[in-house]
Amino acid sequence: MRKILIISILLASLTSYAQDLNYARKTLNTLTSKEFWGRGYTKNGMSKAADFIESQFKSFGLQPMDGKDFKQSFSFSVNTFPGKMELKINGKKLIPGEDFIVGQASVGVKATADLTQKDSVNFLDDRDRILVSLKDKLTWSVSQKVNDYTEISIKKSALNEKPKSIETTIENVFIPEFKATNICAVVKGTTKPDSVILITAHYDHLGGMGKDTYFPGANDNASGVSFLLSLAKYYAANPQKYTIAFICFAGEEAGILGSKHFTENPLIDLQKIRFLINVDMVGTGETGATVVNATQYPKEFTMLNQVNDANKLLVKINPRGKAANSDHYFFTEKGVPAFFLYTQGGISAYHDVFDKPETLPFTVYENLFKLFVGFNKGLMN
């Protein structure tokens, strides 16, 4: 009964908290701009995004997590495509990203050849070791290795006939030690600074494929970073009794590498983290949200739903079990209680060139902000 009363008191004041939606939109547009080139591995995109996030933390008045530097450096191998990305099938020129994508582990190639049909969707140029596949949807990713062949996926609707001939020039550059950074900041707690609530999101995306095509990554995960920065701005102006910490991770798309590095080289004592909430793809929400690890931490999930239901914020919060699908995972493995929240409904763009800021509805962004503020208050009480 006492717990319900505390929750009710906390909820009564939630209406006074409002997210700066204009700031969130502006931030989203910046992160998805051509200047940042998909926050990836070519044209210095990821580094530019890191500098921007650091500048925002500084402007709000946050402090570096280790007291010295906002950036935590690490490195990993990655296959990149900074140069030529040209393809003709049956003499028809195809557009990178829209009509075709190159397999992320592909080696570069220059070839003119006939194709041999292997089955209804796969075609081969044996001499040049090229596999051409027809797909309903084009989805790209990041690879830490290079294969000894080239894979090209073509959208079925881009061709009127089956592939018979190919003319292509693709350039890849393998980087054994790509340098990346996590950006880590804190708002010190007023009375219990050694108790920490940690909010995380990955800022990297897929980058670019060739000289002219990049993947904006609006929902994945400029939406999460914009949301995190909005919370950082709020908590910097409204310090809490607990320390509120923030990490924007690199390397998530390459295999949740930034969060793995942080948990192996923590800048704060992991045992002092009362709770972690990771946000990834939170730009929709028509049908609600899902919380990974809900079944692992039923008390906290119940409290999250109490905050939600009392304020009618999201239509539904679905519980999900443990999953190694985002940056919360390695923290959970180290004993840190954590949720990973993502919204659902709206646009279907994912890991393609169509995940753009202008199509992102921000359906529950402001209500999600209130949900986080209310939940964090509950954690501190």
Side-chain angles (χ1 to χ4, degrees):
M1 186 67 186
R2 181 176 175 273
K3 187 181 292 184
I4 294 172
L5 182 63
I6 290 170
I7 293 284
S8 300
I9 293 169
L10 290 172
L11 299 179
S13 62
L14 262 191
T15 53
S16 64
Y17 301 121
Q19 188 189 22
D20 186 347
L21 197 57
N22 288 333
Y23 170 78
R25 271 285 178 199
K26 183 180 177 183
T27 302
L28 183 89
N29 290 337
T30 299
L31 290 167
T32 55
S33 66
K34 189 175 182 180
E35 174 70 16
F36 289 176
W37 205 249
R39 305 183 303 283
Y41 305 92
T42 57
K43 299 194 181 183
N44 219 24
M46 197 185 302
S47 177
K48 290 176 181 177
D51 289 345
F52 170 76
I53 293 166
E54 180 184 28
S55 74
Q56 297 302 289
F57 282 154
K58 286 180 178 177
S59 71
F60 302 151
L62 278 76
Q63 301 300 312
M65 187 173 284
D66 65 356
K68 301 172 186 175
D69 194 340
F70 285 98
K71 291 178 178 177
Q72 180 190 42
S73 299
F74 64 106
S75 62
F76 53 94
S77 61
V78 66
N79 192 32
T80 71
F81 299 90
K84 290 184 179 179
M85 186 63 56
E86 300 167 357
L87 177 67
K88 287 183 181 179
I89 297 291
N90 305 340
K92 180 183 179 182
K93 185 177 181 180
L94 300 184
I95 301 169
E98 295 185 18
D99 298 330
F100 77 95
I101 58 171
V102 172
Q104 58 268 17
S106 293
V107 68
V109 68
K110 184 177 177 65
T112 300
D114 293 327
L115 293 168
T116 303
Q117 185 169 359
K118 292 302 179 184
D119 54 43
S120 61
V121 294
N122 292 303
F123 304 80
L124 280 180
D125 166 14
D126 283 315
R127 183 192 66 192
D128 302 298
R129 297 184 61 78
I130 300 173
L131 169 64
V132 174
S133 300
L134 301 179
K135 305 279 187 181
D136 293 318
K137 184 186 184 308
L138 302 179
T139 302
W140 210 38
S141 191
V142 179
S143 176
Q144 287 192 264
K145 66 175 185 176
V146 185
N147 292 328
D148 61 354
Y149 63 94
T150 306
E151 186 178 2
I152 300 172
S153 297
I154 299 173
K155 198 169 185 179
K156 286 180 180 178
S157 59
L159 297 176
N160 296 321
E161 56 183 342
K162 68 181 181 181
K164 298 171 185 173
S165 67
I166 184 170
E167 184 180 342
T168 186
T169 302
I170 294 165
E171 295 178 351
N172 84 302
V173 174
F174 180 73
I175 305 174
E177 294 286 334
F178 179 84
K179 291 177 173 55
T181 56
N182 298 323
I183 306 99
C184 315
V186 297
V187 178
K188 285 287 187 182
T190 55
T191 59
K192 295 185 177 180
D194 286 339
S195 295
V196 179
I197 293 173
L198 178 56
I199 300 163
T200 66
H202 76 89
Y203 71 94
D204 65 300
H205 193 51
L206 307 178
M209 192 179 72
K211 294 179 179 178
D212 304 312
T213 299
Y214 74 98
F215 294 74
N219 196 30
D220 185 15
N221 184 32
S223 66
V225 175
S226 300
F227 184 76
L228 180 150
L229 288 174
S230 293
L231 284 168
K233 184 180 180 184
Y234 168 78
Y235 282 121
N238 300 274
Q240 305 292 300
K241 63 182 181 181
Y242 281 18
T243 291
I244 311 294
F246 302 89
I247 307 175
C248 291
F249 293 113
E252 193 270 353
E253 301 289 12
I256 52 178
L257 301 179
S259 51
K260 184 175 190 290
H261 178 80
F262 185 93
T263 56
E264 292 171 350
N265 305 273
L267 302 182
I268 52 174
D269 185 347
L270 297 182
Q271 293 183 342
K272 293 180 179 179
I273 300 174
R274 166 66 181 89
F275 210 82
L276 180 153
I277 317 170
N278 180 59
V279 285
D280 192 350
M281 298 191 294
V282 291
T284 60
E286 288 88 335
T287 57
T290 292
V291 170
V292 172
N293 275 355
T295 58
Q296 302 293 109
Y297 305 102
K299 273 175 55 179
E300 284 84 357
F301 186 65
T302 296
M303 185 170 70
L304 187 71
N305 271 291
Q306 287 174 335
V307 175
N308 185 61
D309 295 344
N311 291 272
K312 297 179 172 57
L313 299 172
L314 310 185
V315 294
K316 188 179 181 182
I317 304 178
N318 301 298
R320 185 174 168 180
K322 186 176 177 179
N325 57 350
S326 195
D327 287 307
H328 66 287
Y329 175 71
F330 288 111
F331 286 89
T332 304
E333 292 297 284
K334 295 281 189 178
V336 177
F339 283 161
F340 160 35
L341 183 145
Y342 57 91
T343 57
Q344 293 164 302
I347 63 167
S348 59
Y350 176 72
H351 277 219
D352 56 36
V353 295
F354 305 107
D355 185 10
K356 301 176 180 179
E358 56 266 30
T359 63
L360 205 60
F362 271 4
T363 315
V364 297
Y365 228 58
E366 290 177 290
N367 282 352
L368 197 62
F369 185 88
K370 293 177 182 177
L371 178 66
F372 272 58
V373 171
F375 179 66
N376 290 341
K377 278 193 170 291
L379 290 173
M380 289 182 279
N381 286 276

